[in-house]
Amino acid sequence: MPQLIPFYFLNQLSFSFFTLLALIYILSKYILPLFTFQQVIRMYITKLSNKS
Amino acid sequence: MATKAATTAVDFARIYSTLGLGKETVAAVQAFRKRHADAQRVHAQYASQPTTVDIAHYRSILKNKAVVDEVEKQLKDFKPVTYDVSAQLKAIETFESKAIAKAKETEEKIDSELKELQSTLANIEEARPFEDLTVEEVGQAHPRIVEAVENMLKKGKWTVPGYKEKFGDMSLM
């Protein structure tokens, strides 16, 4: 039944959606904040060392 | 002669200047020293005076022997009055306890200062060079920064103002 062919990709589609969501969650929660944190700290210690 | 030995052994000038005593203590010590010196002076003055009476001399000079006999009898019967020195001793004891308490207080103060200094010294010795500092350590030292970053992220601010101008960024576009 050729009209069913699009549905054969449903598992791939759902899996890729799930992967995308997981990736976004992990990046935004654990990885990307570290960069902001590092930048803030870098600014902070540079200000500290400029003060003295 | 224990008192003499003590006065020669105690170097008062050094006590005043080097021990870092409180004004109250120094005044108390000075007053005590003055009192001791006065007492010593008076004692020396009276000790140098003769204490014996030449009865035979008076007996040969005076005609009225009865008077001399009476005086001799009174002299023999004379007994020095005993003074009750417990009040003074008590005062000395209270002074001593006060001084000891003060000394203990000073000792405790010095002990605590010493401990503080030692902890500071250990801190300095264990400190690592600035280059070895990690982001986590700074975050632990200043939890305020971690909070500030969390707040920034909640508001959607992912960049630090002034960072790009100072350090540049690695984006190609």
Side-chain angles (χ1 to χ4, degrees):
Chain A
M1 288 194 277
Q3 67 272 27
L4 287 179
I5 284 176
F7 291 100
Y8 293 159
F9 293 99
L10 208 61
N11 62 338
Q12 198 181 359
L13 209 65
S14 57
F15 193 78
S16 60
F17 260 122
F18 171 76
T19 311
L20 205 63
L21 283 174
L23 215 59
I24 288 171
Y25 180 77
I26 288 168
L27 278 173
S28 65
K29 188 84 184 170
Y30 299 107
I31 297 169
L32 292 177
L34 285 182
F35 286 87
T36 312
F37 189 51
Q38 191 211 43
Q39 288 179 358
V40 170
I41 297 248
R42 198 176 263 175
M43 290 296 278
Y44 178 68
I45 60 177
T46 332
K47 267 183 193 165
L48 273 188
S49 59
N50 282 345
K51 254 184 207 166
S52 57
Chain B
M1 284 290 107
T3 52
K4 275 232 171 110
T7 48
T8 48
V10 176
D11 186 356
F12 278 99
R14 213 173 133 250
I15 286 180
Y16 296 147
S17 57
T18 54
L19 286 188
L21 297 171
K23 266 184 197 162
E24 206 180 309
T25 319
V26 170
V29 170
Q30 267 170 343
F32 175 71
R33 201 181 166 199
K34 186 171 171 292
R35 218 174 124 193
H36 173 246
D38 282 351
Q40 226 173 16
R41 192 169 46 72
V42 171
H43 174 248
Q45 192 185 326
Y46 287 120
S48 63
Q49 287 177 358
T51 52
T52 54
V53 181
D54 194 354
I55 297 290
H57 177 68
Y58 289 114
R59 209 186 288 275
S60 64
I61 292 175
L62 297 175
K63 284 180 183 162
N64 194 348
K65 308 287 180 197
V67 169
V68 179
D69 283 343
E70 179 74 12
V71 167
E72 191 180 7
K73 190 168 152 272
Q74 277 193 5
L75 196 66
K76 269 183 191 161
D77 289 345
F78 173 76
K79 269 183 196 160
V81 183
T82 51
Y83 282 103
D84 191 9
V85 290
S86 61
Q88 268 97 331
L89 283 178
K90 211 176 232 171
I92 290 172
E93 266 169 23
T94 52
F95 179 81
E96 193 183 351
S97 61
K98 211 172 152 190
I100 287 175
K102 205 98 183 177
K104 271 187 184 158
E105 201 179 289
T106 312
E107 194 195 352
E108 272 170 25
K109 214 171 102 192
I110 289 174
D111 268 356
S112 65
E113 271 177 20
L114 206 67
K115 257 182 206 162
E116 232 167 73
L117 282 179
Q118 259 164 356
S119 67
T120 311
L121 195 70
N123 207 348
I124 291 171
E125 275 172 353
E126 283 166 14
R128 292 185 291 131
F130 195 65
E131 286 84 4
D132 291 357
L133 209 64
T134 63
V135 168
E136 282 81 16
E137 280 166 358
V138 178
Q140 277 167 8
H142 291 273
R144 230 158 24 86
I145 296 180
V146 181
E147 276 175 35
V149 171
E150 275 167 12
N151 272 333
M152 273 173 66
L153 297 184
K154 268 178 199 159
K155 286 173 193 163
K157 285 167 74 183
W158 291 80
T159 53
V160 184
Y163 182 85
K164 214 164 104 181
E165 287 80 4
K166 202 155 194 166
F167 300 102
D169 60 5
M170 300 207 289
S171 69
L172 295 171
M173 291 192 277

